[in-house]
Amino acid sequence: MVQQISDAEFEIMKVIWANGEKPTLFASLTADLAAKGKSWQKNTLITLLNRLVNKGFLKAKKIGRCNEYTPLVSESEYHKTQTKNFLDKIYEGNAKWLVSDLISGDLLADEEYEELKKLLEKGRTEK
């Protein structure tokens, strides 16, 4: 089971996931986060990275005086788990209620509505 992570930890994971399967060096991570307007102190970033390692999201490897970080949980796996948790918590596991709220709340752009419609139709025919 994939654990919950904080918003700050999620920002770090998004940068690491953007690098795919290849390891991310600490210096590169710092630069990428700064480019996104997230300039945390070094100790703060180290603490957040250690939490992600302890939660099983990352593997850290010491390379000389630097660490490199490799994701152990894929972005897709995390999204699916969090979506299921949200669905269970807010909609009692009922996806129909979620879709109904998206449509009735006018939360979907026209093109998103059409894409969703196509996905639903495609899912029916492939079963």
Side-chain angles (χ1 to χ4, degrees):
M1 168 143 175
V2 177
Q3 292 188 42
Q4 184 75 25
I5 59 176
S6 70
D7 290 346
E9 292 165 340
F10 185 60
E11 288 299 320
I12 292 168
M13 288 305 301
K14 287 194 295 188
V15 170
I16 291 173
W17 284 324
N19 289 327
E21 301 273 328
K22 67 180 183 178
T24 303
L25 290 172
F26 182 84
S28 172
L29 179 61
T30 304
D32 290 347
L33 287 167
K36 294 176 84 177
K38 310 287 183 197
S39 357
W40 292 308
Q41 295 292 320
K42 181 179 178 181
N43 288 341
T44 301
L45 186 52
I46 290 170
T47 298
L48 292 168
L49 287 164
N50 285 334
R51 287 181 188 166
L52 287 165
V53 168
N54 292 335
K55 290 178 180 181
F57 277 80
L58 294 176
K59 177 177 79 171
K61 182 178 178 185
K62 192 96 168 145
I63 304 293
R65 293 174 35 140
C66 297
N67 278 348
E68 66 178 19
Y69 298 91
T70 306
L72 297 176
V73 175
S74 72
E75 186 173 14
S76 173
E77 181 182 356
Y78 181 73
H79 284 178
K80 286 176 186 173
T81 300
Q82 292 308 306
T83 300
K84 176 151 180 27
N85 290 343
F86 173 78
L87 195 61
D88 289 345
K89 180 178 179 180
I90 305 299
Y91 294 98
E92 298 177 14
N94 190 326
K96 184 177 83 173
W97 293 348
L98 168 62
V99 174
S100 175
D101 277 355
L102 290 172
I103 294 168
S104 66
D106 204 23
L107 299 171
L108 295 173
D110 289 342
E111 55 274 0
E112 291 172 323
Y113 178 79
E114 291 303 320
E115 283 180 46
L116 184 58
K117 215 165 111 178
K118 287 177 187 173
L119 283 171
L120 289 169
E121 290 300 321
K122 182 180 174 184
R124 283 187 187 156
T125 59
E126 289 183 3
K127 289 186 179 184

